[in-house]
Amino acid sequence: MTKTSKAQDAVGAATTPPRTSKSTRNRRPAEEKFAELKRRLHDIDDLTAAGAALGWDQATYMPIGGAGARGRQRAALSRLAHEKSVDSTLGKLLDELEPYAATLPHDSNEASLIRVARRDFERAIKVPSDHVARASVFGAESYEAWKQARPANDFATMLPFLQRGIDLGREYADFFAPYHHIADPLIEDADEGMTAASVRRLFAALRTELVPIVHALTEQSNADDRCLRSSFGETAQLAFGLSVIRRIGYDFERGRLDKTVHPFCTRLSAGDVRITTRVFENDLTQALFSSLHEAGHALYEQSVDPVLEGTPLGRGASVGVHESQSRLWENVVGRSREFWEYFYPLLQRTFPGQFDRVRLETFYRAINKVERSLIRTEADEVTYNLHIMLRFELELKMLEDALRAKDLPEAWRAGMDSYVRVVPPDDRDGCLQDVHWFSGIMGGSAQFYAAAMKAHPNIPKEIAAGEFEPLHSWLRENLYRHGRKFKPSELVRRVTGEQMNTGPYLSYLRAKYADRIRA
Ligand code: ZN
């Protein structure tokens, strides 16, 4: 690391613009330094985006034989990006730009960039390049192993990967010691300002309110969802999903949709935000709602102010804020009655004969069926939260060393029984179901839900008429365009006028399911 950093220092010094004349010294140098800061940050962003392109390829079209080399390639790019992120010249530049930042408004692009770049720099210098490269290799290898092991219900193969993931998570946390909880540094990375304790408090409060709602909704005779489970051709499913996400505002000039194992959204640049989906011919909901979910992430990324492109500000604010948006489009919008008032006729035309005798109301109830189920990504919007809480609790326990990796399958079964009240028959549909567990993102799921709580239910009436622009532009204007300028808590306050809390989310559920929740 040190050797390369020195070499870069030399290059950086050689390319620093010459000092300007005396008359402009007071202003010009700061602007030049700011331009140099942006150049350096662009380089880091370009390397990161190149790594993301390799990751997208690995998860979509790469032949299996490419796995080994791909791991090394991604690690090499991560290491290069990290080395540039910890370059001492960058730190010096940030120091020198402090007085300049102090003269600018807090929410200006320039002051925000200096502030966020400094925060990133100070965190990055705590982490050795060697750790970054090992974590990257691990992520790629583990993903490949998981792709084989999950369908084979093979926990034994994944056990060493799980152990290694925990070890890497613990090693990473220790770079930030002292901390209050070992998960705090990981949570801070995903959602600045959150801690294990604050997420625990939020989840505990939510669980208390949610359990009676889930109980009320699952006690009564459940919705008939047979209309979603016959046979739906892949081509038609993909075509329908495409029409839906195009209509809500996903820009195909700046993105594309492909198939994968575990759907995701990836940003290669402002002009290239890609999403993926998976199709099950016997289940209409998989491709449709995973496309909507990922399109929600993509709408956010495609709407970040283009002037922030190539800098650390040019992407979504945090994991939690991102998840609040994907779930807003997937559930609050995509599972609303108004949404289907508009799209149901198109669905009926896409699958001739299959929905002729299914009333809109039956379909609406089917896609909103609340049940105690095994798979997080297939869970309804109400029980979904319980799946997240279980993962969070188990992750904390493993990081604390209070739960051994080999005991995870049993802890998973016990946890599912306690949280969701169903027990998986095997590990395939138990602890092996989530790729996140095996790609080094320990602590990430802690935030998956936290920020979604602020997603308010005021969906404009326009949705029933297929008009999504009013909602989209409100979100773009108030939230998306800011990129990563503000901390999640600051952003929530700016956008909603209140602190992050579970109130709006619970009111939304109570209103939506009012006819099915007994008082
Ligand atoms: Zn998501």
Side-chain angles (χ1 to χ4, degrees), residues 293-294 297 322-323 326-327 384:
H293 180 98
E294 301 309 332
H297 284 302
H322 239 298
E323 208 54 25
S326 55
R327 304 201 62 222
Y384 186 91

Side-chain angles (χ1 to χ4, degrees), residues 55-324:
W56 172 85
D57 176 68
Q58 181 174 16
T60 50
Y61 298 108
M62 188 190 76
I64 183 89
R70 184 54 46 91
R72 290 195 311 274
Q73 293 157 352
R74 291 179 69 181
L77 285 169
S78 305
R79 196 175 52 239
L80 278 175
H82 183 72
E83 282 166 0
K84 285 187 179 289
S85 311
V86 298
D87 189 330
S88 59
T89 312
L90 179 62
K92 218 170 122 241
L93 206 50
L94 286 164
D95 285 340
E96 290 167 3
L97 281 165
E98 277 305 309
Y100 172 62
T103 66
L104 301 166
H106 171 82
D107 61 356
S108 66
N109 291 341
E110 293 77 8
S112 300
L113 182 61
I114 294 165
R115 184 173 64 240
V116 172
R118 165 164 291 284
R119 186 228 175 208
D120 288 351
F121 176 77
E122 278 168 5
R123 289 186 74 75
I125 55 172
K126 292 189 157 66
V127 184
S129 287
D130 142 72
H131 174 91
V132 174
R134 280 187 293 124
S136 176
V137 172
F138 166 75
E141 286 176 354
S142 168
Y143 177 75
E144 290 304 321
W146 172 79
K147 277 204 304 199
Q148 315 279 323
R150 192 201 167 193
N153 188 36
D154 179 7
F155 180 75
T157 293
M158 290 317 293
L159 179 56
F161 286 98
L162 177 60
Q163 187 57 57
R164 185 128 180 72
I166 299 165
D167 292 345
L168 282 167
R170 296 176 61 89
E171 185 182 313
Y172 183 85
D174 282 337
F175 299 137
F176 296 88
Y179 40 71
H180 187 70
H181 189 283
I182 190 161
D184 285 350
L186 299 147
I187 295 173
E188 175 76 7
D189 270 357
D191 275 273
E192 185 180 3
M194 302 291 282
T195 62
S198 69
V199 178
R200 255 180 183 148
R201 264 198 308 279
L202 208 58
F203 280 1
L206 184 61
R207 191 182 178 185
T208 308
E209 299 286 327
L210 207 54
V211 164
I213 297 178
V214 171
H215 190 68
L217 290 174
T218 53
E219 279 310 285
Q220 51 194 282
S221 66
N222 226 323
D224 178 0
D225 64 351
R226 278 174 301 175
C227 64
L228 306 173
R229 322 240 170 251
S230 58
S231 182
F232 306 97
E234 178 174 308
T235 313
Q237 285 203 51
L238 287 171
F240 181 70
L242 220 79
S243 310
V244 169
I245 60 177
R246 179 175 281 126
R247 184 79 207 183
I248 66 169
Y250 178 70
D251 181 358
F252 277 92
E253 296 284 303
R254 299 187 293 140
R256 53 179 292 133
L257 174 69
D258 295 272
K259 288 198 299 168
T260 191
V261 180
H262 198 93
F264 62 94
C265 166
T266 191
R267 177 198 179 94
L268 307 184
S269 69
D272 190 353
V273 181
R274 304 183 187 186
I275 58 176
T276 55
T277 191
R278 61 179 164 197
V279 183
F280 293 158
E281 298 216 330
N282 61 355
D283 179 357
L284 185 70
T285 61
Q286 275 292 319
L288 175 60
F289 289 109
S290 75
S291 300
L292 262 170
H293 180 98
E294 301 309 332
H297 284 302
L299 287 181
Y300 190 175
E301 290 293 331
Q302 287 186 333
S303 304
V304 173
D305 189 339
V307 304
L308 306 177
E309 164 78 349
T311 77
L313 305 183
R315 55 175 181 271
S318 75
V319 172
V321 175
H322 239 298
E323 208 54 25
S324 78

Side-chain angles (χ1 to χ4, degrees), residues 316-497:
S318 75
V319 172
V321 175
H322 239 298
E323 208 54 25
S324 78
Q325 294 316 297
S326 55
R327 304 201 62 222
L328 184 152
W329 288 99
E330 177 194 352
N331 295 322
V332 182
V333 175
R335 292 183 206 265
S336 70
R337 197 176 258 112
E338 294 82 3
F339 186 86
W340 289 101
E341 277 169 22
Y342 179 73
F343 280 113
Y344 198 56
L346 177 63
L347 183 82
Q348 289 176 312
R349 285 200 300 279
T350 307
F351 300 98
Q354 292 184 267
F355 290 96
D356 292 357
R357 292 201 277 172
V358 181
R359 289 187 309 124
L360 170 60
E361 187 60 22
T362 308
F363 178 81
Y364 170 74
R365 284 185 165 256
I367 58 166
N368 285 296
K369 180 175 181 174
V370 175
E371 64 183 333
R372 304 182 188 277
S373 63
L374 295 173
I375 310 294
R376 173 183 66 88
T377 55
E378 294 167 22
D380 56 85
E381 65 178 323
V382 187
T383 58
Y384 186 91
N385 308 286
L386 302 173
H387 291 264
I388 296 297
M389 290 173 195
L390 168 65
R391 281 154 181 73
F392 178 67
E393 184 187 292
L394 293 177
E395 281 184 12
L396 289 199
K397 279 195 179 147
M398 287 193 290
L399 287 167
E400 287 164 0
D401 223 4
L403 171 63
R404 309 267 304 275
K406 70 173 177 57
D407 298 326
L408 178 65
E410 191 43 51
W412 186 281
R413 284 189 285 275
M416 281 297 286
D417 196 18
S418 149
Y419 276 88
V420 192
R421 287 165 65 184
V422 282
V423 179
D426 55 28
D427 296 332
R428 188 174 61 96
D429 289 340
C431 66
L432 284 177
Q433 65 180 267
D434 275 328
V435 63
H436 302 105
W437 282 70
F438 304 104
S439 56
I441 315 176
M442 297 296 291
S445 70
Q447 283 70 47
F448 280 178
Y449 202 63
M453 295 162 190
K454 76 174 179 61
H456 60 83
N458 299 327
I459 304 308
K461 299 281 176 247
E462 286 90 345
I463 287 176
E467 295 302 329
F468 296 94
E469 189 49 27
L471 173 63
H472 188 187
S473 58
W474 187 90
L475 290 166
R476 184 192 299 120
E477 197 46 38
N478 291 282
L479 177 60
Y480 298 169
R481 72 183 170 94
H482 298 307
R484 216 173 134 232
K485 278 169 73 171
F486 308 112
K487 290 183 198 181
S489 57
E490 195 180 347
L491 195 57
V492 171
R493 225 176 22 250
R494 287 177 71 101
V495 176
T496 69

